[in-house]
Amino acid sequence: MTRNELLSELEDEIGVKAVPFQELVYLPTRTDTNPFDRVKSARILSISGTEVRDNYLAAGRPLPEWFTRREVAAILSEAAVPRHRQGFCVWFTGLSGAGKSTIAEILAVLLMEHGRQVTVLDGDVVRTHLSRRSRVHQRGP
């Protein structure tokens, strides 16, 4: 059963009307798109949603002009930050004196050498500043 058939079958149950669509493929010899089921034996170009996300948007590569309009490609590219520009968090846990801060500082240097912006939050430093501020607020009016 196709997705469109399944959606049509469940329309009443889920309360959502299915809007069926056909997969379109690009025919480079005709320079246009056509429904996949109408194309007989021609060379076609097609990109799946996964390929769009992983091989183009996440990699920061522009979508091919034959795939979508420039305006749509620009919106998709703006909305999907490439993996190399996405942020992430590395959280070190362990016993006191185990080397967490040392490893964090080394990792920070390595990441900065690869062009990444880095912020290191050391638990001891954060606790010191938070504790000092909370004591100041307690003494206030």
Side-chain angles (χ1 to χ4, degrees), residues 97 103 133:
I103 293 170
R133 282 198 179 141

Side-chain angles (χ1 to χ4, degrees), residues 65-133:
E65 287 196 20
W66 59 263
F67 179 73
T68 190
R69 294 184 183 140
R70 263 189 232 121
E71 298 85 0
V72 173
I75 291 168
L76 290 172
S77 296
E78 186 178 311
V81 179
R83 292 226 195 294
H84 69 276
R85 288 185 30 223
Q86 291 178 3
F88 63 95
C89 174
V90 179
W91 188 292
F92 294 102
T93 63
L95 297 172
S96 179
K100 300 178 295 293
S101 296
T102 303
I103 293 170
E105 292 298 331
I106 293 169
L107 180 60
V109 170
L110 293 172
L111 289 168
M112 285 187 283
E113 286 175 355
H114 284 88
R116 299 302 296 248
Q117 183 179 353
V118 178
T119 301
V120 176
L121 297 175
D122 187 294
D124 292 332
V125 176
V126 171
R127 274 188 300 279
T128 300
H129 290 287
L130 286 177
S131 295
R132 185 175 68 211
R133 282 198 179 141

Side-chain angles (χ1 to χ4, degrees), residues 4-18:
N4 287 339
E5 291 169 340
L6 180 61
L7 279 173
S8 293
E9 188 176 299
L10 296 173
E11 275 181 1
D12 292 333
E13 185 178 331
I14 63 176
V16 175
K17 174 147 178 54

Side-chain angles (χ1 to χ4, degrees), residues 25-30 32 39-46:
V25 293
Y26 181 74
L27 301 170
T29 55
R30 292 179 44 185
D32 66 352
V39 176
K40 300 297 180 209
S41 57
R43 183 172 160 256
I44 62 170
L45 297 177
S46 179

